[in-house]
Amino acid sequence: MKITANHLQRYKQIAGLMWKYGRSDLVKQMEIDDTLDPEARTVPVDGDEAKLPAQLADDLEAMGPTYVKLGQVLASRPDLLPQAYIEALSRLQDKVKPFAYEEVEKIVEAELNVRVSKAYARFDPTPIAAASLGQVHAAALRDGREVVVKVQRPDIAKQIADDFEVLAQIAEFMQAHTDLGKRHRFSEMLEEVRLTIQEELNYEREAQNLTTMGENLAEFELITIPQPVPDYCSRRVLTMDYVRGSKITKLGPVARLEMDGSALAEELFRAYLKQVLVDGLFHADPHPGNVFLTDDNRLALLDLGMVGRTTPDMQENLLRLLIAISEGKAEQAGDVIIKISECSPDLETVAFKRRIGQMIARQQGASLAQINVGRTLLEVAGIAGDMGIFVPSQLTMLGKTLLQLDEVGKTLDPDFDPNAAIRRNVAELMSQRMQKNATQGSFLASLMEMKEFVAGLPSRLNKIMDAVGNRELEVKIRAMDTPQVMEGLQKIANRITSGLILAALIIGAALLMRVETDFRMFGYPGLAILLFLCAAAGGVWLLVNIFVQDQKTTKPALPR
């Protein structure tokens, strides 16, 4: 653990933050089971307690960009925080204090190796938006093309690295010593956030994401992706098309009447399903501040620094999971979760599937006003964590993404049903997946595998037949519960052996009763009586042992 002046200051600030909010109802609400109805998280507060959500947003902003970013992440996780805190932290998504234009000018000139006045015909000193990692300025190129320039905050990379070093130590401590930390796996969660922010700090990667996403979503007429200007992009400066429009949360009544909210919601949801389940690259931060309604009534997706990636195998499993949840098939949903996750040895599969079934049963027949697909996935992840199942990070990120997407869909069309949208688009998604996989390369690979299989089949069959003929064929079975099975068999064998010994003692005693000896007990041959007493004591011991073991076996498990 580093002990520097900066680290000590951070420890002091974080300790003060935890002391201030750890004694409030926030922690109590965070500890409420995720499987409960969302209203259960809304605990009435009054007085000073009601001011805490806004104070938390202010405190995070005062601590610097890293904590502003963490506040933005928490604002998208209603499965972790109550609604009052979600609303207060939402302002951090696009209402962060900007930094001075002098710093902007220095960074742009250092990154592009040219004066701002030479590179741009116009560059507005006042930013049009400021976020935790950078801010955006309106500008125009020499050819008249309207653009926006995203400039990274000065020294932000080093500051974030130092802050995450401190946070990692605290998260590790909390995960080791608190139930809340163990349940949400704070260390792993923090590491995922760190890697995501590290990706966001590379604007060259974001420019590449914009280009790729624009190509992938070219078929969607109602969705647009601003394209970058490659010659004006670097690791800390990103120049891209200027999108004229408004945030969907700031639309007036007239604008809502002019747009086709149902068609936009359907198109947006279908585009995200394609991103996740076909393309393998999806916009992972579609909060309302990053979704604009353009002047020509289309949706523009902004800020592609945070993206998620899914492998082909994960895409198929996620598709099965979404279909199972949308159709209320809890058994299939549970099977998919177990298949793609890391499971503990003491996993209670039946109990897990029962809890999944109870959760999904509550969702059936509900509209978007009552159901949230993203919340459902995060709820599934929460149940899995409680039961000793650690789901992959892609599932959690997808849940967070759909959670934000559902909020956007609710704004566009309150009656939009995401479950019905999944069922409507599943056939098309499957067709697109098959077309994507049916490439010349995959066909040739399959052909080579088939050739190898056919060529090697005769020799393999000969080996099998020779092994059968020579009585050398062995079948090995690997059982996951082998130690428990062997222990049970040993207990059975021990009881049987004890019973046989006791029976032998009784039979021997009965035979010795006819042998007259000088040693007598109770008027009977002494050796026979001793054998009877040993048999009686052994019988009592065996019965007590059986009773105690059976009581341990049938004792109900304590509630988790």
Side-chain angles (χ1 to χ4, degrees):
M1 179 181 292
K2 284 187 178 181
I3 304 297
T4 64
N6 184 48
H7 281 66
L8 288 174
Q9 178 66 19
R10 280 305 191 199
Y11 288 131
K12 178 182 177 182
Q13 291 175 330
I14 294 173
L17 203 69
M18 296 175 66
W19 173 257
K20 179 177 180 179
Y21 298 98
R23 297 177 297 117
S24 69
D25 285 337
L26 172 61
V27 174
K28 298 177 183 178
Q29 296 175 76
M30 288 181 69
E31 291 176 345
I32 294 176
D33 196 316
D34 288 338
T35 59
L36 293 176
D37 189 67
E39 279 73 15
R41 290 188 172 277
T42 306
V43 179
V45 293
D46 53 10
D48 294 336
E49 190 79 18
K51 301 177 182 178
L52 286 179
Q55 292 177 8
L56 177 60
D58 294 337
D59 290 342
L60 291 176
E61 187 173 10
M63 291 176 68
T66 305
Y67 297 89
V68 171
K69 191 64 183 178
L70 290 176
Q72 293 175 358
V73 173
L74 290 174
S76 63
R77 294 295 300 271
D79 60 314
L80 295 180
L81 295 181
Q83 186 60 31
Y85 284 86
I86 295 296
E87 294 175 358
L89 293 175
S90 294
R91 81 162 180 82
L92 298 177
Q93 293 173 342
D94 57 357
K95 295 181 180 178
V96 183
K97 294 179 181 177
F99 57 95
Y101 175 71
E102 289 74 15
E103 294 287 349
V104 173
E105 201 169 26
K106 289 179 183 178
I107 293 172
V108 172
E109 292 178 354
E111 290 293 313
L112 301 184
N113 293 318
V114 64
R115 293 178 61 84
V116 172
S117 59
K118 295 291 184 180
Y120 302 94
R122 189 190 79 252
F123 196 103
D124 295 346
T126 304
I128 58 177
S132 56
L133 305 183
Q135 62 190 36
V136 179
H137 293 258
L141 301 181
R142 288 292 175 180
D143 60 1
R145 180 179 175 182
E146 294 288 331
V147 295
V148 293
V149 183
K150 186 176 179 180
V151 184
Q152 195 172 107
R153 288 183 178 271
D155 301 323
I156 186 66
K158 182 180 183 304
Q159 183 177 347
I160 285 179
D162 291 342
D163 286 340
F164 267 96
E165 189 174 2
V166 174
L167 290 171
Q169 295 167 355
I170 295 174
E172 185 177 350
F173 175 84
M174 293 186 67
Q175 183 164 326
H177 297 89
T178 66
D179 291 337
L180 189 64
K182 294 175 183 177
R183 178 183 177 188
H184 293 292
R185 303 181 78 182
F186 280 175
S187 293
E188 288 82 354
M189 185 185 300
L190 187 69
E191 178 63 14
E192 290 176 13
V193 175
R194 187 190 69 81
L195 293 175
T196 300
I197 295 179
Q198 194 173 23
E199 288 279 321
E200 286 191 78
L201 289 173
N202 188 349
Y203 286 175
E204 291 177 337
R205 184 71 58 84
E206 183 174 350
Q208 183 180 356
N209 293 337
L210 288 168
T211 302
T212 304
M213 194 74 70
E215 295 172 353
N216 292 343
L217 301 184
E219 63 185 88
F220 297 92
E221 298 180 356
L222 297 180
I223 294 179
T224 181
I225 307 292
Q227 292 302 291
V229 183
D231 293 338
Y232 291 80
C233 295
S234 70
R235 192 174 185 85
R236 295 197 296 162
V237 175
L238 173 63
T239 304
M240 56 185 169
D241 293 333
Y242 181 74
V243 176
R244 296 190 178 276
S246 305
K247 285 174 52 177
I248 61 170
T249 53
K250 294 184 177 179
L251 298 178
V254 177
R256 293 180 183 277
L257 291 175
E258 293 178 349
M259 71 177 186
D260 188 349
S262 177
L264 289 173
E266 176 76 20
E267 186 97 332
L268 182 64
F269 200 84
R270 189 164 62 91
Y272 266 85
L273 289 177
K274 180 179 182 293
Q275 292 176 48
V276 174
L277 304 174
V278 179
D279 301 330
L281 176 73
F282 62 95
H283 183 206
D285 195 22
H287 64 75
N290 286 338
V291 181
F292 269 45
L293 181 69
T294 64
D295 292 344
D296 56 353
N297 288 325
R298 293 193 299 166
L299 293 178
L301 302 182
L302 309 178
D303 193 2
L304 267 70
M306 184 186 296
V307 296
R309 291 177 173 83
T310 53
T311 62
D313 289 341
M314 180 60 68
Q315 291 169 15
E316 292 186 5
N317 288 317
L318 290 176
L319 180 58
R320 293 191 184 101
L321 180 60
L322 288 175
I323 293 173
I325 291 177
S326 66
E327 295 184 350
K329 296 179 179 179
E331 185 79 13
Q332 294 183 9
D335 289 338
V336 174
I337 291 293
I338 293 173
K339 179 180 178 181
I340 65 177
S341 303
E342 174 188 347
C343 302
S344 62
D346 57 346
L347 170 64
E348 298 177 6
T349 305
V350 176
F352 170 66
K353 291 183 178 179
R354 182 172 62 248
R355 290 186 63 181
I356 293 294
Q358 293 171 351
M359 180 205 68
I360 292 179
R362 294 197 307 268
Q363 311 284 13
Q364 296 307 298
S367 65
L368 186 59
Q370 302 164 310
I371 186 175
N372 191 303
V373 179
R375 186 191 297 276
T376 301
L377 281 178
L378 291 175
E379 202 169 315
V380 168
I383 295 174
D386 291 341
M387 304 296 291
I389 303 174
F390 304 112
V391 300
S393 59
Q394 293 97 325
L395 180 64
T396 306
M397 180 172 283
L398 175 61
K400 182 189 77 69
T401 300
L402 292 178
L403 189 65
Q404 295 172 318
L405 188 63
D406 286 342
E407 181 182 354
V408 175
K410 191 186 304 182
T411 303
L412 295 171
D413 180 16
D415 297 325
F416 180 68
D417 185 353
N419 284 345
I422 292 175
R423 292 191 290 268
R424 282 194 301 270
N425 293 289
V426 65
E428 182 182 353
L429 290 171
M430 290 297 296
S431 175
Q432 290 181 350
R433 280 194 54 77
M434 293 178 64
Q435 291 176 7
K436 182 181 179 181
N437 294 332
T439 62
Q440 183 177 3
S442 62
F443 176 75
L444 290 176
S446 300
L447 193 62
M448 293 176 65
E449 290 180 2
M450 184 178 296
K451 174 183 174 295
E452 183 181 352
F453 172 76
V454 173
L457 184 60
S459 62
R460 293 190 181 105
L461 287 176
N462 285 334
K463 290 180 181 179
I464 294 174
M465 297 305 296
D466 291 341
V468 173
N470 297 329
R471 299 180 181 179
E472 297 175 349
L473 184 65
E474 297 181 359
V475 179
K476 296 182 179 180
I477 301 175
R478 178 184 293 178
M480 294 181 62
D481 299 329
T482 300
Q484 291 84 351
V485 173
M486 292 302 300
E487 183 180 354
L489 291 175
Q490 288 176 357
K491 289 180 180 179
I492 294 172
N494 291 340
R495 290 183 180 182
I496 293 174
T497 303
S498 301
L500 290 174
I501 294 173
L502 293 177
L505 289 174
I506 294 172
I507 294 172
L511 293 175
L512 288 173
M513 289 293 287
R514 294 190 174 189
V515 179
E516 294 294 332
T517 62
D518 295 335
F519 175 56
R520 304 181 71 84
M521 294 180 65
F522 308 113
Y524 297 98
L527 187 57
I529 292 299
L530 287 176
L531 292 178
F532 271 124
L533 291 175
C534 289
V540 171
W541 173 83
L542 182 60
L543 290 175
V544 170
N545 184 266
I546 291 173
F547 177 78
V548 171
Q549 291 295 329
D550 289 349
Q551 284 294 107
K552 290 182 179 179
T553 304
T554 58
K555 185 177 180 180
L558 294 174
R560 296 177 66 88

